[in-house]
Amino acid sequence: MVDWLPIDEPQPSQLYLSRGKLDGVLSWFDPDEPDYDPLSVIELDGEWVLIDGHTRAFVASLAGVDELRVVHDTDDHPRELYGRCVEWCREADIRTVADLHGRLVSEGAYERLWLDRCHRAAAEGGG
């Protein structure tokens, strides 16, 4: 079911944004017509956590949008890994999508700094 959350409510689970993805979203995002696919959130320890759509959420934040279009994702996700990602974000003072400002990196750096880190964590038993 599609719902709306205040933009500062879901906790991000990602430390970086890819410049390539950002350029793509900027090319079509229209804050006056929120027809983007809903962003996936899960409930983790009583809190909504954004698990997909960080770039779209960040662009919405830049555009001054007050609410995000979300869907409660009930699939079987690696909650332990997402919990670890949330810990990393909190350690980096990333508590809202607006906090991702200054965390934009090239696609290569995104893969090296973020995706590889997640793969290592999953292999170590973090999800």
Side-chain angles (χ1 to χ4, degrees), residues 6-83:
I7 197 162
D8 60 350
E9 186 170 328
Q11 165 67 50
S13 63
Q14 185 172 304
L15 287 171
Y16 301 97
L17 296 174
S18 161
R19 182 176 310 278
K21 284 185 180 181
L22 181 67
D23 290 344
V25 173
L26 287 171
S27 72
W28 60 261
F29 187 87
D30 181 352
D32 297 323
E33 293 186 32
D35 60 353
Y36 56 86
D37 289 338
L39 312 176
S40 294
V41 295
I42 60 171
E43 192 171 352
L44 194 62
D45 298 328
E47 173 181 40
W48 290 114
V49 173
L50 186 63
I51 65 168
D52 184 48
H54 288 77
T55 305
R56 288 174 283 157
F58 181 72
V59 170
S61 173
L62 290 176
V65 172
D66 294 327
E67 293 183 310
L68 294 174
R69 188 171 180 228
V70 299
V71 63
H72 181 197
D73 194 326
T74 57
D75 288 347
D76 187 24
H77 292 285
R79 292 181 178 277
E80 185 177 331
L81 179 58
Y82 279 111

Side-chain angles (χ1 to χ4, degrees), residues 13-17 54 85 88-90 92 94 100 103-104 113-114 117:
S13 63
Q14 185 172 304
L15 287 171
Y16 301 97
L17 296 174
H54 288 77
C85 293
W88 294 336
C89 288
R90 289 185 176 145
I94 298 170
L100 290 168
R103 310 285 299 184
L104 182 65
L113 294 170
W114 183 243
R117 183 177 188 175

Side-chain angles (χ1 to χ4, degrees), residues 101-119:
H101 185 79
R103 310 285 299 184
L104 182 65
V105 296
S106 71
E107 291 178 61
Y110 178 80
E111 185 169 323
R112 205 172 49 257
L113 294 170
W114 183 243
L115 296 180
D116 289 351
R117 183 177 188 175
C118 292
H119 292 300

